[in-house]
Amino acid sequence: MINRLFKSTFLFTLIVILSCGNVEADKNRTQSSSTKNKNDINSSEEIIEDIVVGANQTDLYMPLLHGKKVGVVGNQSSLILNNNKEYVHLVDSLLALNVALKKVFAPEHGFRGKANAGEKVEDGKDPKTGLPVISLYGNNKKPKPEQLEDIEILIFDLQDVGARFYTYISSLHYVMEACAENNIKLLVFDRPNPNGHYVDGPILEKEYQSFVGMHPIPVVYGLTMGEYAKMINGENWLKNGIHCNLQVIKMSNYDHQKKYSLPVKPSPNLPNDKSINLYPSLCFFEGTNVNAGRGTHKQFQVFGSPFLNAKEFSYTYMPISMDGAKSPKHLGKKCFGEDLSESTYLNKINLKWLIRAYNNTENKAEFFNSFFTKLAGTEKLQKQIENGLSEEEIRSTWKSGLKQFKIKREQYLLYQ
């Protein structure tokens, strides 16, 4: 009897202990999930976490900043991992290290990264540090000489996503040009390119240059910001062929095939790894009457339009006004389309979604708008789709240009 009582008591105690352990494990998993949701960036066991970004290579750049008046081109993605393994802003880190920081320059979406795409961002003052913030968007894409008067060295630290129409590389061009013209050294703090594992798309033609495409490169170019800066210099793309006094603060433990999960959104409408991976394919919809997920919580993971065939597209959603998309395309209207949030990881641009949408829209004459050609960098892509070419037939016309670009790209690679 006593033995049976002892065994029963022991088993009960063991079950309680195991249950508590499971509760604690569930609690830890919940806390981890909560942290990920807070940043709106998905993570994966496949993602390499040993990459050390340029901003964290303090031993390499602090000697260069000693005794210098410094400016920073940055935004919410300009983060550095401190000794407690916590992310702090580069600006805060530099001030804590007694760097003579004079001002901050902010690209599209602003210093804190909350403005809508294309929204005018005003100059101002950073409320946390009191530093002046100069907008590099709108009518002031290039720093003016008077804005650089008190700067001896400029740091460029922005998280790119590797697509030609993502405007941070255009900001890089203008910053390099301004530095070259005003005899200012530029340090590029390098970061991974989350779409750096492939090269694809049509090459931009000179007559279609704009702020969403300044150079003769494919849509996906497979270079980090540091490598791209080297290409801008090496290909004499700056005005009058001038060269910027450039130094790249390289990453360690990085190569172009490593997956990298961004710690924060690089811009308001790229909330996670999936949206970033789909962005080079779905951004083409920005030049059509199809919504690419703006005004939803699946930005650049869904597409849809009131004009698409409801029988062909069963997925529906309704764009709303929200941070980063105050007036999204088809606001408050029911859109028929496709949810790609569970699609496979892309290693090339997918044109099938764009072609399918065009083939199933109400009025094909109203599908494309003038912005599409700027995004594509050529008139050919629209004409090819209108003429009924398949994805394979269109891709075959890119081969020669991509082959030549890949040869050029090899000269500027800092990582394999």
Side-chain angles (χ1 to χ4, degrees), residues 174-187:
Y174 283 124
V175 167
M176 289 179 66
E177 199 166 86
C179 285
E181 291 170 346
N182 292 277
N183 196 29
I184 294 171
K185 184 180 179 69
L186 180 67
L187 298 183

Side-chain angles (χ1 to χ4, degrees), residues 24-54:
E24 187 62 31
D26 287 343
K27 180 182 176 184
N28 289 337
R29 280 193 292 269
T30 301
Q31 288 173 340
S32 175
S33 174
S34 173
T35 301
K36 290 172 190 173
N37 289 339
K38 184 173 68 175
N39 289 330
D40 276 334
I41 289 288
N42 296 338
S43 62
S44 161
E45 291 179 1
E46 299 177 53
I47 291 167
I48 307 296
E49 295 183 348
D50 62 347
I51 297 168
V52 180
V53 300

Side-chain angles (χ1 to χ4, degrees), residues 280-301:
S281 299
L282 296 194
C283 191
F284 285 119
F285 283 119
E286 300 280 87
T288 73
N289 62 9
V290 175
N291 173 290
R294 293 186 191 269
T296 78
H297 293 288
K298 290 186 177 181
Q299 304 98 317
F300 290 100
Q301 298 156 86

Side-chain angles (χ1 to χ4, degrees), residues 299-337:
Q299 304 98 317
F300 290 100
Q301 298 156 86
V302 300
F303 69 87
S305 164
F307 311 118
L308 295 184
N309 189 329
K311 293 180 180 179
E312 180 71 22
F313 295 96
S314 58
Y315 177 74
T316 63
Y317 65 92
M318 188 177 295
I320 62 172
S321 181
M322 57 192 293
D323 285 347
K326 294 175 183 174
S327 300
K329 195 182 297 180
H330 306 312
L331 175 66
K333 296 179 180 178
K334 187 176 183 179
C335 293
F336 303 91

Side-chain angles (χ1 to χ4, degrees), residues 61 67 77 80 82 96 262 303:
Y61 64 78
S77 70
I80 182 171
N82 67 15
L262 276 58
F303 69 87

